[in-house]
Amino acid sequence: GIWFAHFLACSYAGYCRSEMNDHQAAIDLLERGRELDRRHRFTLRVYTAPLYIYRTEAYIRQYLDARSRLPRARTLLLRANMKRACREALGRSKGWPLNYCAAVRVAARCAEALGRDRKARRLYQSAIDLCSQTGRRFELGKAYLGYGALLARSGSADKAAPLLEAARRVFKEISAPHYQRKAADLMG
């Protein structure tokens, strides 16, 4: 009914706000969608799981954007929100392979944001494998991009190059020029 349509609108608008780096507006919309899901207990989990993935991404972006300029107490709160959102995204998408691959990719980003690079590498590789199996091309490109960026930042440019090239190629094939440019920029 109307509440499910409202839920979907919150989910997609929150995703768009997150992509535009309007973190707080994204989080507000995604939290509103989450509350609708809790209140109405929507049974179409395959359609509700993405909200939890988008919510985690918004919290990660907010944390990465603000961590160096906020007081320690506020930074710890942002970390806690990010970790809680990540656990929920993994749990909500577990039975849905098309969504789970994205949740694993977001968990890799979360681990990376927390400075757990070894865990992030393992999760990015898992996300690449899962996205390849499910055919989720956009998520596959984002997994390649995230893993390549992590390796490049850690000084492994030779290992990062093929991943970034794979990301660029995927984004070109699916006509995602914004992400194609991101991969190309990281390649140098």
Side-chain angles (χ1 to χ4, degrees), residues 73-149:
R74 178 74 174 130
T75 301
L76 292 174
L77 177 63
L78 291 178
R79 286 173 64 102
N81 288 341
M82 179 178 64
K83 291 186 331 189
R84 192 175 316 112
C86 185
R87 282 191 303 273
E88 191 170 15
L90 286 165
R92 294 285 182 149
S93 63
K94 184 70 173 175
W96 306 99
L98 293 175
N99 293 319
Y100 190 65
C101 66
V104 172
R105 178 191 57 77
V106 170
R109 275 197 81 199
C110 185
E112 182 181 358
L114 294 169
R116 298 180 183 147
D117 287 0
R118 192 176 340 178
K119 182 177 182 178
R121 289 175 192 216
R122 183 178 50 77
L123 287 167
Y124 276 126
Q125 186 57 59
S126 181
I128 288 168
D129 295 343
L130 291 167
C131 291
S132 294
Q133 291 168 12
T134 59
R136 293 288 308 270
R137 306 279 294 151
F138 183 61
E139 288 298 332
L140 176 62
K142 289 174 84 173
Y144 280 135
L145 182 64
Y147 195 7

Side-chain angles (χ1 to χ4, degrees), residues 120-187:
R121 289 175 192 216
R122 183 178 50 77
L123 287 167
Y124 276 126
Q125 186 57 59
S126 181
I128 288 168
D129 295 343
L130 291 167
C131 291
S132 294
Q133 291 168 12
T134 59
R136 293 288 308 270
R137 306 279 294 151
F138 183 61
E139 288 298 332
L140 176 62
K142 289 174 84 173
Y144 280 135
L145 182 64
Y147 195 7
L150 171 63
L151 291 174
R153 275 192 298 280
S154 64
S156 299
D158 55 325
K159 293 179 182 175
L163 292 166
L164 294 171
E165 176 54 33
R168 190 199 61 73
R169 189 174 51 255
V170 167
F171 293 133
K172 182 178 182 182
E173 290 168 3
I174 64 171
S175 299
H178 173 73
Y179 281 93
Q180 185 181 348
R181 278 190 302 278
K182 280 185 174 186
D185 288 349
L186 285 169
M187 291 169 63

Side-chain angles (χ1 to χ4, degrees), residues 29-64:
L29 285 161
L30 295 164
E31 289 294 348
R32 189 176 320 149
R34 179 175 177 252
E35 181 54 35
L36 286 167
D37 187 29
R38 285 173 175 264
R39 190 176 326 134
H40 297 283
R41 296 187 179 136
F42 301 125
T43 56
L44 300 170
R45 304 285 357 133
V46 70
Y47 296 110
T48 60
L51 173 126
Y52 296 91
I53 296 162
Y54 303 155
R55 180 173 161 260
T56 303
E57 284 190 297
Y59 275 117
I60 292 168
R61 288 175 173 176
Q62 182 184 48
Y63 171 74
L64 291 173

